Amino acid sequence: MSFTPIPDADPRAARARAGRRDVRQDAECAAFWDGFTASLAGGDPRRTAWPDAFGFGGEGPLADELAALVLAGRKRATASLPVEYTALGEALPVAGDLSIVLDGAGHPVAIIERTSVQLVAFEAVDASFAAREGEGDGSLAAWRQAHAWYFGQVFREWGGRLQDDTPVLCQCFQVVWPPTVADARPVAVARAFEGQAISPAEAIAAYLRAKDGNRPYLLDAAFAPDVQLRMVVRTDAISFPPASAGREALAETLVRRFNQEYENVHSVCLGAPPPPDAVAFGCRWLVAMSARQDGAVRVGCGRYDWAFAPADGRVAALTIRIDAMESLPPDTLQTVMAWAAALPSPWCPERVAVDALPALAPLRQVAQALQRADA
């Protein structure tokens, strides 16, 4: 389903009602964040990150109750609707994102790091996730009752209604600050920054997060320093240099310059991830995005061919083939993004992506490109 904000909605006022804070403008949150970053090693990429800040459930008694569950170690997941971000002009959260948790009075109490983010239909949220959220008696029935009420409040503000197939952002997280309540940090990218091996699937996922989220630092975890890039472009709709050598050159081409031209980027790899011992792997990919200059919506597909360093799993060579890149009018953005944001990420069954393609004429070219024998 699509979500249409009410015409006179003020995102700044909505952020305040939702218990959100701008960390840069809030001295208490900024000091709390500074305490965390001061505890990190000099090379830790989180030192240069910048979090959002919010209260679970907004403000007041509910935010106090849920913050207490986080501090007690009982709550390690949260569920939200995509419109809670898109209506405020914010990107959907992804694994690795950091946030400051506020209590009911807006005071910072913890910093969390998302370990996984999945879009799941409301009716498909399972008992294990409900238990991880840790609210009420931890049962799935209690989860559905509480979230039907909460999501109803969200829809009353932004338009729409809750249905069984409404996509829900199921986010799991760990607490990284303060030390008295922090969990261990098992995120694979952290191991890579510490010089440990990373699996091929983790390297690919880190690359997609780097590209889609404009996070070039993540390429340090995913790619070898002397990585080689080859581009094969079979369309005139987009252009890239035919080759690049070295991690910094790839970061400039695939992340920095790319994000200067495009926003609202959603990429997935089609099919199953590579096995842990893979030294070479090929998969098709699909992307949806919009051009910053004119707002045109782009949907494209192609193929990745990866070569991994046996010693540590980082990408040693990558060939990116672009088979199709279709352009659609700006007024199709909501339709295309609703489809793209609902796809499983980073690994999506091809049939799931193709069957759900919006009924827009240019997208037939994308579907046909995916069905070609040499894809």
Side-chain angles (χ1 to χ4, degrees), residues 246-316:
R247 189 164 57 202
E248 183 58 29
L250 267 69
E252 189 67 21
T253 298
L254 298 178
V255 181
R256 296 190 185 96
R257 291 183 183 174
F258 179 79
N259 279 275
Q260 288 174 0
E261 295 187 40
Y262 299 102
E263 60 186 356
N264 300 314
V265 184
H266 291 277
S267 302
V268 295
C269 290
L270 300 175
D277 59 351
V279 294
F281 180 72
C283 64
R284 287 183 274 196
W285 56 264
L286 189 65
V287 67
M289 57 196 182
S290 59
R292 291 182 181 273
Q293 184 174 13
D294 60 9
V297 177
R298 299 289 189 91
V299 178
C301 65
R303 179 181 172 89
Y304 290 133
D305 282 289
W306 310 84
F308 304 99
D312 60 12
R314 285 176 171 81
V315 179

Side-chain angles (χ1 to χ4, degrees), residues 14-336:
R15 283 180 61 86
R17 289 194 298 275
R20 309 288 278 276
R21 294 285 188 276
D22 184 340
V23 177
R24 292 177 175 85
Q25 302 298 322
D26 189 296
E28 187 178 12
C29 286
F32 193 75
W33 178 251
D34 288 344
F36 168 62
T37 57
S39 73
L40 302 175
D44 194 309
R46 294 175 295 174
R47 290 177 63 92
T48 57
W50 204 255
D52 64 345
F54 66 91
F56 285 116
E59 296 179 314
L62 179 58
D64 279 332
E65 176 186 341
L66 299 182
L69 292 177
V70 171
L71 297 179
R74 182 174 168 184
K75 181 177 177 63
R76 289 297 182 268
T78 188
S80 52
L81 296 172
V83 72
E84 295 181 71
Y85 299 90
T86 58
L88 302 179
E90 299 175 353
L92 298 183
V94 297
D97 281 354
L98 295 149
S99 296
I100 296 175
V101 177
L102 308 175
D103 65 15
H107 302 301
V109 297
I111 297 173
I112 62 172
E113 181 178 25
R114 290 164 181 82
T115 56
S116 70
V117 180
Q118 292 183 306
L119 271 167
V120 180
F122 179 80
E123 66 175 353
V125 175
D126 60 22
S128 64
F129 182 82
R132 192 172 177 86
E133 274 222 46
E135 301 174 22
D137 64 6
S139 69
L140 181 58
W143 184 93
R144 286 178 173 166
Q145 181 179 17
H147 286 78
W149 174 85
Y150 175 73
F151 292 157
Q153 302 297 310
V154 174
F155 282 134
R156 269 191 285 277
E157 176 160 17
W158 295 110
R161 64 187 180 90
L162 181 65
Q163 302 180 69
D164 285 346
D165 62 352
T166 296
V168 175
L169 279 165
C170 292
Q171 308 171 48
C172 294
F173 60 82
Q174 59 187 344
V175 176
V176 297
W177 189 260
T180 52
V181 296
D183 304 319
R185 188 170 185 251
V187 178
V189 169
R191 298 199 311 269
F193 279 116
E194 293 163 0
Q196 300 181 43
I198 188 170
S199 75
E202 291 165 343
I204 293 172
Y207 160 69
L208 292 180
R209 283 180 53 211
K211 178 180 70 69
D212 289 9
N214 195 14
R215 298 178 174 94
Y217 77 88
L218 288 176
L219 295 189
D220 291 351
F223 286 178
D226 57 352
V227 61
Q228 301 291 310
L229 172 67
R230 177 171 172 258
M231 299 292 305
V232 179
V233 182
R234 295 178 170 179
T235 172
D236 295 331
I238 195 168
S239 63
F240 285 93
S244 299
R247 189 164 57 202
E248 183 58 29
L250 267 69
E252 189 67 21
T253 298
L254 298 178
V255 181
R256 296 190 185 96
R257 291 183 183 174
F258 179 79
N259 279 275
Q260 288 174 0
E261 295 187 40
Y262 299 102
E263 60 186 356
N264 300 314
V265 184
H266 291 277
S267 302
V268 295
C269 290
L270 300 175
D277 59 351
V279 294
F281 180 72
C283 64
R284 287 183 274 196
W285 56 264
L286 189 65
V287 67
M289 57 196 182
S290 59
R292 291 182 181 273
Q293 184 174 13
D294 60 9
V297 177
R298 299 289 189 91
V299 178
C301 65
R303 179 181 172 89
Y304 290 133
D305 282 289
W306 310 84
F308 304 99
D312 60 12
R314 285 176 171 81
V315 179
L318 170 61
T319 297
I320 302 177
R321 196 179 77 201
I322 304 176
D323 293 329
M325 186 62 65
E326 298 301 318
S327 183
L328 297 89
D331 62 7
T332 63
L333 179 67
Q334 293 295 333
T335 298
V336 172

